[in-house]
Amino acid sequence: MQESRGAEAMPWLHRLVSARVPGTRAAIVLAAGVALLVGAYELVEEQRALFPEGITGWSFALLTGIIAGHLVALGQSRWWGGTGSGAALTLAILLLYGWLAAALVSLAVVLLVAVARRTHWKQAMVHGAVDILGIGAASLAVLAFGTRPSVESPWHPASWSWSALPEIVAASCAYLLVTRGLVWYAYAARRTALSSVARTALARQALVAVALLGIAPLIDVVAVHRPVLLPLFAVPLIALDSTLWIARARAEEQLRDPLTGLPNRLWLMERAWSALDEADRADNRAALVLIDFDRFRSVNDTLGHLAGDRLLLQIADRLRTVLPRGADAVRLGGDEFAVLLPAIGSTTSAQRVARSLVAALGSPLDLDGLTLVLEASAGVAVFPDHAQEGEGLLRRADVAMYEAKRDRTGVEVYDATRDSNTPDRLGLLADLRRALDAGEVELHYQPKVGFDSRVAGLEALVRWTHPERGRVPPDEFIAMAETSGLMPQLTEYVLETALGQVGRWWSDGLTVPVAVNVSPRDVHSPGFAGAVAARLARHGVPPGALQLEITEHVLLEEPQRAADTLAALTGHGVKMSLDDFGTGYSSLVHLRRLPVSELKIDRSFVARLSVDAEDAEIVRCTVDLAHSLGLLVVAEGVEDDESWERLRDLGCDAVQGWLVAAAMPPPEATAWLRARTQRRRPPGQPDRAAAPESSAGAVASSDRGQPPAQTDEDADQPVT
């Protein structure tokens, strides 16, 4: 079930904080200007003093100057809200002398810092306005308790009791909430990830609040009794600021990869919130590209981890240089990188960007004079097509990346039909496991015949009818089994069932071989060859009656183990067939290394045989190549008489498809075999039988040659 879009998919706090009101800064300045005019009128009308005189006034002025100099030395933007020294001083003066004196100190600090840093006058104006509004809010909080301090009538600490604590707390909270809230809405970058910023800012502001509650009243006590000591408060106030800046730096380090300096996974997840929100509001798409380098581990094993780290630094630098505008690069860990595309026009555009990144990262790299070429695989997931939030995009991009790595395609876009981890498919996978345990999965058998009126064998095709969903397409549940770890159990089940049926046929005199397709995972499993030999012996089936269909993918990972397993199988007498020839990475090298006796031409070439001269030439060359190597050739997906005739003229040894027969359950397959052994070919009909040692087969096969509008059950009867 997909997540809902828009507001329902985003955290409500993120949507609240990321909201922007046009004219926020102008409104802040205007409101602060009105407050200053009211204060000026009150100052003139009531003839009140603006700031204390004598030692107290000069001590506060000196302390203010020290704090301003300290803020200049920090070299950071004060609007970020990471300092507490100015806030503590401002609140102390507000509690003692009222909001006009506090506003004067605040404006003095802001203006001094702005002049020293040559900050734009508009920025300084907004900063000062924010502080004035915060001071006004704190003053109203104190006034709500009936207290109205001024220079003429200070709120002396001698009159404080436990009842004053709520006033101080209220004033501190009001000041912090107003100033930090207005600063966020006025200046916070919309590209900043909410969660980390909010978490870090809240931690810092909690420290500021504690400082305000602890230091501001102490400043007031000293100002009344020993004002000459006021400048000494610069030490704890500066220490407070340093603590806050260290906390901020550590928080930022948590969002960075220490080796490459790129953002890390935590940053990516938090940045994705704002990126997906913006894409949703603009009715646009966003995409996540996950990149992994093939066999990078061999670099570490061969050259050492230090060399691997230097190589990762080069990769990160190259990734930075080839990033599209607006994109963000992230290192997830190891040799995994991610690229967030916050605004992408279409899935095709995202795939195009991914291919350009893979191509750029595949260029040679120099490491201490050694030229290295690394192959990268990338998976692409798109919002909102594939997921509604960052974690979902990352998981789906990971699924697509492993598809690209497994199929050697370079780049793959997420395909839900190949993802075995969705809730619906996980439930289907559990049902498949139960069906295998209960023996509810069936095998159908599709004949393979040659041009000399003899049956060469049968292909075992797995079928599963779900009690609620009905028939599940083989491609769907076989792909689930391959990616979930259930494939060995499925292969075991099919081998056991097929050999049991072959044993019954051979005991009845129907001596035909049956082929079963095995996945690369099966071939790489330790002891697979011995397990197959043990099953053959248990069912009393001669090894030549079983043929295993494999693809060249078995040699792409752990080629030595695969070669040993295949050699052991042929040593036991089991025949091997190379399936799907022409659709992957077929080559003479692979044909030499694989101990196969048969080659199967994929149906995609056979389907266009009569209309495409290039496909016909490919088939002819394939047949000639196979025969020169002593291999039999079988064509899949034969559905019409013209293809039959062309394949016979090209020298193909056997055919398989709907023209011969559809896949049939065991009783129908048995009847078909018996009819073929008892019936002779009528004159004038083409020879549709097969070479004696051919095969048919596979656990991982779907309905090759089956027209979409028909099923196995309503297929035409064999043509003889």
Side-chain angles (χ1 to χ4, degrees):
M1 193 164 26
Q2 287 190 343
E3 303 92 333
S4 60
R5 290 189 61 184
E8 297 175 359
M10 297 293 174
W12 68 269
L13 180 59
H14 172 58
R15 298 187 64 85
L16 175 64
V17 174
S18 61
R20 291 293 179 270
V21 179
T24 299
R25 300 180 192 179
I28 291 173
V29 173
L30 180 61
V34 172
L36 285 177
L37 288 176
V38 172
Y41 175 80
E42 180 181 329
L43 188 68
V44 174
E45 183 69 19
E46 300 182 8
Q47 297 183 348
R48 296 171 55 184
L50 185 59
F51 203 71
E53 299 177 350
I55 297 178
T56 303
W58 284 107
S59 296
F60 269 122
L62 179 58
L63 179 58
T64 301
I66 295 174
I67 295 302
H70 160 64
L71 294 178
V72 171
L74 280 177
Q76 300 288 343
S77 297
R78 185 173 182 271
W79 70 260
W80 178 262
T83 62
S85 56
L89 178 59
T90 300
L91 184 62
I93 295 178
L94 183 144
L95 294 175
L96 190 59
Y97 297 119
W99 79 276
L100 286 174
L104 178 63
V105 171
S106 175
L107 288 176
V109 171
V110 171
L111 290 176
L112 286 173
V113 173
V115 171
R117 294 186 190 162
R118 298 180 182 179
T119 306
H120 197 280
W121 64 271
K122 289 184 179 180
Q123 186 181 23
M125 183 180 294
V126 174
H127 290 165
V130 166
D131 268 355
I132 289 171
L133 294 181
I135 291 169
S139 180
L140 291 175
V142 173
L143 185 61
F145 287 88
T147 303
R148 190 182 181 187
S150 64
V151 175
E152 293 80 8
S153 179
W155 187 25
H156 283 290
S159 64
W160 292 354
S161 63
W162 287 107
S163 61
L165 183 60
E167 296 185 51
I168 298 175
V169 172
S172 302
C173 292
Y175 178 80
L176 285 174
L177 290 176
V178 172
T179 55
R180 274 44 178 185
L182 290 178
V183 159
W184 181 281
Y185 279 88
Y187 287 103
R190 300 189 65 174
R191 287 173 53 84
T192 303
L194 166 70
S195 181
S196 62
V197 170
R199 183 170 60 249
T200 305
L202 286 174
R204 290 201 308 272
Q205 299 317 320
L207 291 175
V208 171
V210 172
L212 289 173
L213 290 175
I215 297 179
L218 293 178
I219 293 175
D220 291 341
V221 172
V222 173
V224 171
H225 297 286
R226 290 290 187 272
V228 73
L229 299 179
L230 280 176
L232 295 179
F233 274 100
V235 175
L237 291 177
I238 292 174
L240 168 65
D241 280 346
S242 300
T243 302
L244 294 178
W245 283 111
I246 291 173
R248 177 188 176 185
R250 288 180 177 175
E252 291 178 346
E253 288 176 0
Q254 292 177 358
L255 301 176
R256 292 279 168 182
D257 173 54
L259 175 63
T260 63
L262 291 174
N264 59 17
R265 178 192 176 101
L266 178 60
W267 184 94
L268 173 65
M269 292 299 96
E270 295 166 351
R271 169 70 181 103
W273 287 350
S274 57
L276 301 189
D277 187 28
E278 291 169 13
D280 181 65
R281 293 180 182 183
D283 196 22
N284 205 345
R285 283 180 168 81
L288 185 65
V289 181
L290 185 63
I291 303 171
D292 184 86
F293 290 88
D294 303 336
R295 296 180 294 277
F296 186 87
R297 182 179 177 182
S298 61
V299 175
N300 287 332
D301 294 342
T302 304
L303 303 178
H305 288 278
L306 289 179
D309 288 346
R310 296 206 308 276
L311 197 59
L312 288 173
L313 286 172
Q314 291 191 42
I315 292 170
D317 290 340
R318 178 172 292 181
L319 192 57
R320 289 187 185 99
T321 60
V322 299
L323 277 180
R325 171 174 290 200
D328 298 299
V330 175
R331 184 191 177 203
L332 299 177
D335 59 336
E336 274 194 343
F337 294 81
V339 174
L340 179 65
L341 305 174
I344 199 76
S346 64
T347 300
T348 303
S349 299
Q351 188 176 21
R352 189 181 305 117
V353 170
R355 290 195 183 282
S356 66
L357 293 174
V358 168
L361 294 173
S363 300
L365 294 166
D366 180 76
L367 187 65
D368 297 334
L370 180 65
T371 301
L372 299 176
V373 178
L374 298 178
E375 294 181 3
S377 299
V380 181
V382 179
F383 166 88
D385 302 355
H386 303 142
Q388 308 292 327
E389 34 74 36
E391 282 288 355
L393 276 181
L394 182 60
R395 193 189 66 77
R396 286 161 174 78
D398 188 62
V399 171
M401 184 270 292
Y402 276 104
E403 292 289 343
K405 186 181 286 287
R406 186 187 66 183
D407 296 340
R408 301 289 192 185
T409 55
V411 175
E412 286 288 341
V413 177
Y414 174 76
D415 183 357
T417 62
R418 305 177 74 178
D419 185 1
S420 62
N421 297 319
T422 62
D424 182 65
R425 293 172 70 82
L426 287 175
L428 192 63
L429 184 64
D431 293 340
L432 175 60
R433 192 183 302 273
R434 286 192 293 268
L436 290 174
D437 293 337
E440 297 173 357
V441 176
E442 300 177 345
L443 288 188
H444 288 193
Y445 299 88
Q446 186 174 35
K448 183 172 58 173
V449 300
F451 299 94
D452 57 357
S453 300
R454 284 185 294 176
V455 179
L458 300 170
E459 177 181 9
L461 299 170
V462 64
R463 297 289 183 266
W464 178 34
T465 302
H466 192 276
E468 298 175 359
R469 306 175 188 227
R471 179 174 169 180
V472 182
D475 286 345
E476 181 177 346
F477 68 82
I478 290 172
M480 282 195 312
E482 286 181 337
T483 57
S484 66
L486 190 61
M487 194 64 197
Q489 184 179 346
L490 180 58
T491 301
E492 208 174 292
Y493 179 90
V494 172
L495 276 172
E496 189 70 21
T497 305
L499 290 177
Q501 183 62 56
V502 172
R504 288 188 290 273
W505 280 335
W506 279 64
S507 64
D508 291 342
L510 301 174
T511 55
V512 291
V514 171
V516 172
N517 193 359
V518 294
S519 72
R521 179 175 295 186
D522 297 321
V523 176
H524 294 147
S525 298
F528 178 71
V532 171
R535 282 193 174 83
L536 287 168
R538 186 168 62 253
H539 289 283
V541 175
L546 174 65
Q547 187 175 43
L548 297 181
E549 291 191 3
I550 59 173
T551 65
E552 289 174 288
H553 286 92
V554 300
L555 294 180
L556 296 181
E557 298 292 339
E558 301 186 77
Q560 188 57 52
R561 174 179 288 185
D564 293 343
T565 300
L566 296 178
L569 287 167
T570 54
H572 288 302
V574 177
K575 301 291 185 180
M576 307 299 296
S577 174
L578 182 62
D579 196 12
D580 298 332
F581 187 83
T583 61
Y585 300 89
S586 304
S587 67
L588 288 173
V589 174
H590 285 170
L591 285 177
R592 285 172 50 199
R593 295 177 63 185
L594 293 171
V596 298
S597 59
E598 176 186 279
L599 184 149
K600 297 187 75 173
I601 301 175
D602 188 76
R603 70 182 306 270
S604 61
F605 296 101
V606 175
R608 300 188 301 268
L609 191 61
S610 59
V611 296
D612 192 323
E614 290 185 358
D615 280 356
E617 184 63 19
I618 290 173
V619 171
R620 185 190 66 78
C621 293
T622 301
V623 171
D624 291 344
L625 171 64
H627 286 168
S628 67
L629 296 174
L631 306 178
L632 297 173
V633 182
V634 178
E636 302 176 297
V638 180
E639 299 177 2
D640 54 74
D641 288 329
E642 187 174 358
S643 297
W644 172 284
E645 300 293 344
R646 291 297 302 274
L647 288 167
R648 183 179 60 182
D649 294 342
L650 291 172
C652 189
D653 298 300
V655 295
Q656 177 183 357
W658 272 64
L659 185 64
V660 177
M664 300 169 282
E668 293 181 21
T670 302
W672 188 90
L673 286 172
R674 285 176 176 163
R676 295 290 296 201
T677 58
Q678 297 170 1
R679 189 167 51 196
R680 299 185 61 85
R681 175 176 56 83
Q685 290 290 330
D687 291 338
R688 295 179 185 173
E693 301 237 352
S694 186
S695 74
V699 113
S701 299
S702 56
D703 295 333
R704 296 189 179 95
Q706 176 178 325
Q710 291 181 293
T711 63
D712 290 345
E713 287 70 28
D714 62 3
D716 295 336
Q717 292 299 313
V719 180
T720 60

